[in-house]
Amino acid sequence: MVKHAPGSFSKNFAWHGTGLRKLHIVIRAGFQDTLATVPRDRFREDSGLDASLSLIPVNFFLHNKAGRMSVDELVFQAIERPHSIRFDRLALFALHLNRVGTGQRVVSRPAMWANEFVRERLWQSGVWRSSALSDASLDPFITDRMDAQLDVRVKCRNNYRHLYELCEFWPTSLPVINAQAEQWIASALFLAWDRHILDGGPSDRASLVDLIDSDELYKLLGVTRGFALAQAGDLADLYGSVGGIERFREAKTALTPTTPPPPKPAPEIPEEEGLEWLEQEESDEVVERRTVERQEQKRNRKKAAALKQHYDNTCQFCGTKLQISEDRYYSEAAHIKGLGEPHSGPDKASNMLVLCPNHHLQFDRGILRIKKVGGDYVIRSKAMGDPLNGQKITLTHSLDDVCVNYHYRWFGSKR
């Protein structure tokens, strides 16, 4: 088993309480708010970090080639977007990607132990497992993979886990971690492809899509292989249409956003022939609302159809009954606990709600949740000023409280 050097990973990643927001600030300062390569030494001078910390962003998060700091999707996001939790998650992905350039004084894979940890321990059966981040799991793995004294290994462990805390992935009371990759997979794949090409890799579409498997990018994203592959084709086409890595050279004179739109999950295929399911008539906008757990499931649509008929296609949150023709109405059956991996929720009416398309999307993304208060189920909304927040829902079928509690905790993050 190969043991890796810790480098400067043992230094304090808290950055005086600013966390990865400091990295965002450092990138903007080091690149002088421009999408142009900059000499490594000048970047360090302009970054605003003191000498003891200056190597951390250069060595572990950013890409440099031939003595110059490269412009890629991570740099773009820092310069063109305000700091956000999505930037932090993209930065963690950059660390795990472990492609930081080539040349003198450059260690091309400086945190390979972290990359191996995600691929071998954290990711299991299509999702990140929270138990892998415990001391009992992290310590023996780092001991096995890192050539360092005990005190250095402990510092590295604490710094590494702190990154998950900054990204609001940990701690969690659930056995699995909600990576929320649908919100940042496009930027992550753009970043992976940028660095692949910067390191001399081919830029054709097939080679880019192949990285999903060859570099096991799906594991670094915390999703199933099928979900990553379902997005990769369209995103590779989009990547090519905006110029690939060349998009930043064109942006020097006229900056244009390159962040791709949200990924579009594959439509579901009805399992039973001869039934006129409304889902067959869904537009692209409705298909986009489907989340990964319902892409890979096999469900009995008769149960969903029966529940929608029971509620007369009326949204249980807002009371909307969406008419789509003279005599047809449309609603959607939302599973509370997802059926596919990693949730493995039950396919039964007590794990379903009947919702309008808008509130189905918000429920699937965790903007809307329900909580049992006494004998009632109350809507909790993260949307500012949402009139649904605190509203009781009227039920004429029973709900599985285990599923309700699971959904509420799964989307427990504040952001």
Side-chain angles (χ1 to χ4, degrees):
M1 186 67 63
V2 176
K3 289 206 171 189
H4 307 283
S8 55
F9 203 87
S10 60
K11 297 189 186 300
N12 184 7
F13 274 34
W15 279 320
H16 307 294
T18 57
L20 286 169
R21 183 167 62 87
K22 184 67 172 180
L23 176 62
H24 188 275
I25 295 169
V26 163
I27 293 174
R28 294 180 64 94
F31 281 90
Q32 294 293 292
D33 285 338
T34 62
L35 295 176
T37 62
V38 60
R40 173 186 168 102
D41 291 341
R42 197 181 83 190
F43 174 89
R44 291 175 61 181
E45 291 175 2
D46 294 341
S47 67
L49 289 173
D50 59 54
S52 65
L53 294 177
S54 61
L55 288 176
I56 290 180
V58 179
N59 284 355
F60 294 106
F61 294 102
L62 300 178
H63 186 279
N64 62 102
K65 183 177 181 180
R68 300 186 69 85
M69 306 306 299
S70 305
V71 176
D72 57 20
E73 185 69 16
L74 182 64
V75 173
F76 171 83
Q77 291 293 332
I79 291 177
E80 290 298 303
R81 301 282 187 266
H83 175 256
S84 68
I85 193 69
R86 293 190 186 187
F87 173 83
D88 292 354
R89 291 169 177 174
L90 185 62
L92 181 61
F93 177 83
L95 172 76
H96 288 150
L97 187 63
N98 245 237
R99 285 184 178 269
V100 301
T102 56
Q104 292 184 339
R105 299 184 298 162
V106 176
V107 179
S108 61
R109 300 267 177 147
M112 195 61 192
W113 59 270
N115 176 280
E116 293 171 354
F117 171 75
V118 176
R119 292 187 295 108
E120 298 176 24
R121 296 289 179 87
L122 184 64
W123 187 95
Q124 296 291 330
S125 302
V127 71
W128 290 342
R129 301 287 172 178
S130 55
S131 60
L133 290 171
S134 66
D135 288 358
S137 176
L138 265 174
D139 285 346
F141 185 89
I142 292 176
T143 298
D144 186 51
R145 303 300 172 90
M146 185 179 291
D147 185 11
Q149 297 297 319
L150 175 61
D151 61 331
V152 173
R153 297 199 307 268
V154 170
K155 289 179 181 178
C156 288
R157 175 248 286 163
N158 291 339
N159 286 336
Y160 182 58
R161 194 163 53 201
H162 182 59
L163 294 176
Y164 286 88
E165 294 173 343
L166 293 173
C167 293
E168 298 185 359
F169 290 145
W170 196 88
T172 175
S173 59
L174 295 175
V176 293
I177 296 172
N178 183 2
Q180 300 182 40
E182 70 278 359
Q183 300 177 11
W184 52 278
I185 185 174
S187 294
L189 291 183
F190 269 39
L191 178 63
W193 293 335
D194 285 345
R195 296 197 178 182
H196 164 75
I197 295 169
L198 286 167
D199 289 342
S203 59
D204 61 282
R205 182 183 188 275
S207 296
L208 299 182
V209 174
D210 283 347
L211 287 177
I212 299 295
D213 280 327
S214 63
D215 285 11
E216 295 187 308
L217 297 181
Y218 57 96
K219 294 184 178 181
L220 306 186
L221 290 161
V223 299
T224 64
R225 175 178 177 271
F227 177 71
L229 287 172
Q231 319 307 319
D234 287 344
L235 289 175
D237 290 337
L238 181 58
Y239 184 76
S241 72
V242 298
I245 194 64
E246 299 297 322
R247 68 194 184 278
F248 300 120
R249 291 187 175 88
E250 298 173 1
K252 289 180 183 177
T253 54
L255 297 179
T256 56
T258 64
T259 300
K264 189 177 294 184
E268 299 178 60
I269 306 299
E271 295 179 20
E272 301 186 39
E273 298 180 357
L275 298 176
E276 293 184 354
W277 302 111
L278 289 176
E279 286 84 346
Q280 290 177 302
E281 300 181 352
E282 289 176 345
S283 66
D284 286 347
E285 288 76 13
V286 175
V287 170
E288 189 168 314
R289 296 183 175 103
R290 303 305 184 193
T291 55
V292 60
E293 54 264 29
R294 286 180 291 118
Q295 290 176 37
E296 300 177 342
Q297 69 189 7
K298 291 183 178 180
R299 72 182 184 184
N300 185 339
R301 291 171 179 267
K302 289 184 178 180
K303 296 176 183 178
L307 191 65
K308 290 190 287 185
Q309 184 178 11
H310 175 77
Y311 282 99
D312 197 22
N313 288 300
T314 302
C315 178
Q316 291 181 259
F317 282 1
C318 68
T320 296
K321 185 177 180 181
L322 182 63
Q323 187 168 1
I324 59 174
S325 69
E326 286 188 9
D327 58 352
R328 298 183 73 184
Y329 295 86
Y330 180 77
S331 63
E332 297 180 354
H335 281 83
I336 300 170
K337 184 179 183 182
L339 302 189
E341 290 290 345
H343 312 292
S344 302
D347 186 23
K348 58 185 183 181
S350 60
N351 187 34
M352 298 181 196
L353 294 168
V354 175
L355 301 176
C356 66
N358 286 347
H359 290 140
H360 189 179
L361 172 60
Q362 288 186 308
F363 189 74
D364 279 350
R365 296 293 175 87
I367 296 299
L368 295 178
R369 297 178 293 165
I370 58 174
K371 185 174 185 179
K372 192 169 186 180
V373 180
D376 298 316
Y377 292 93
V378 178
I379 300 172
R380 293 286 186 251
S381 176
K382 297 180 183 179
M384 186 74 70
D386 190 343
L388 289 179
N389 189 43
Q391 180 176 303
K392 298 178 183 178
I393 61 174
T394 301
L395 291 165
T396 52
H397 80 293
S398 300
L399 295 185
D400 185 330
D401 288 340
V402 172
C403 297
V404 171
N405 292 336
Y406 180 94
H407 180 275
Y408 192 85
R409 290 188 296 158
W410 177 254
F411 290 106
S413 171
K414 295 181 180 179
R415 287 192 271 182

